Amino acid sequence: LTQNDQFAQVPAVAIGYRMPDPGSRDYIPAWALGELLLAGDASRLYQGLVKGQELLIQVQGGMGWPLGDAVSNGGPSMLVVFGLTRPATPADRVVGTVQKELDRLARGALTGAEVERVKIKMISDFYTDLEPLINRADRLAVRQALTGDAASLNHIPAQINDVTPADLTRVAGTYLTVQNRSWINRLP
């Protein structure tokens, strides 16, 4: 879909992939895959599309982005890639470049060290988010409402830690496909 946005200063691309439900064995690996691709300056898409090929001005996204996160989600979700494109960069080139990276992941282009780095960051971010009492109370209430078990929050770090490179390869090959993708080209 191409849209015009009278308030936009630069063009943007949003790519969405439908992801597994929270109860699926693929859910936590899908979350980890989103973190690997999009969490910060060390992420694959930032390094590849912003720093490397300079197709984007910025990139962000992840599971449930921008309306939540993987922990507070109770139903079907999307992994979203959102990037502000350089004015001369065609949106289909960005989408194609992102898809090539996802296809590489589906073929196993991962290292154990890379996956460990992402898992450590996820667990660290998880505990950092729980530090303020209000956040902890909110997370417990959300988990109770979504799963009927507030204590299920305690299992998330172990679930993250159990993610393997093979899990990420399987999830990329299953969900991050052209057939499971929608995208929007937003023009100023």
Side-chain angles (χ1 to χ4, degrees):
L1 175 67
T2 298
Q3 296 179 332
N4 291 312
D5 182 347
Q6 65 182 349
F7 300 110
Q9 299 295 312
V10 294
V13 173
I15 309 166
Y17 297 87
R18 188 168 190 277
M19 300 311 286
D21 290 333
S24 165
R25 76 179 182 124
D26 289 341
Y27 188 75
I28 299 293
W31 177 21
L33 198 52
E35 294 291 306
L36 175 94
L37 291 166
L38 293 154
D41 292 354
S43 69
R44 278 199 174 199
L45 293 182
Y46 182 86
Q47 287 297 313
L49 277 72
V50 176
K51 288 293 192 185
Q53 296 183 46
E54 297 183 353
L55 299 177
L56 299 176
I57 297 167
Q58 73 175 38
V59 66
Q60 54 189 323
M63 282 276 285
W65 186 93
L67 301 175
D69 59 31
V71 176
S72 61
N73 181 31
S77 185
M78 294 189 77
L79 188 145
V80 175
V81 177
F82 176 78
L84 298 178
T85 62
R86 296 192 181 273
T89 303
D92 59 347
R93 181 172 175 209
V94 172
V95 174
T97 303
V98 168
Q99 194 62 52
K100 282 180 187 173
E101 181 61 25
L102 302 180
D103 293 345
R104 284 184 62 240
L105 289 174
R107 290 189 306 270
L110 285 162
T111 66
E114 185 177 27
V115 175
E116 286 304 310
R117 177 189 57 81
V118 168
K119 292 186 327 185
I120 289 167
K121 181 182 182 320
M122 289 175 70
I123 293 169
S124 174
D125 290 349
F126 175 82
Y127 285 123
T128 299
D129 182 57
L130 291 177
E131 186 66 30
L133 183 58
I134 190 69
N135 289 7
R136 201 169 329 134
D138 178 64
R139 292 293 188 176
L140 288 166
V142 166
R143 294 302 290 184
Q144 181 65 37
L146 296 177
T147 68
D149 179 16
S152 68
L153 190 67
N154 297 325
H155 304 293
I156 291 173
Q159 292 171 323
I160 293 169
N161 201 44
D162 288 344
V163 172
T164 67
D167 291 331
L168 298 186
T169 297
R170 182 187 71 250
V171 168
T174 303
Y175 299 96
L176 301 181
T177 65
V178 172
Q179 298 80 9
N180 195 38
R181 177 185 78 194
S182 297
W183 62 282
I184 298 171
N185 179 22
R186 172 95 20 112
L187 301 172

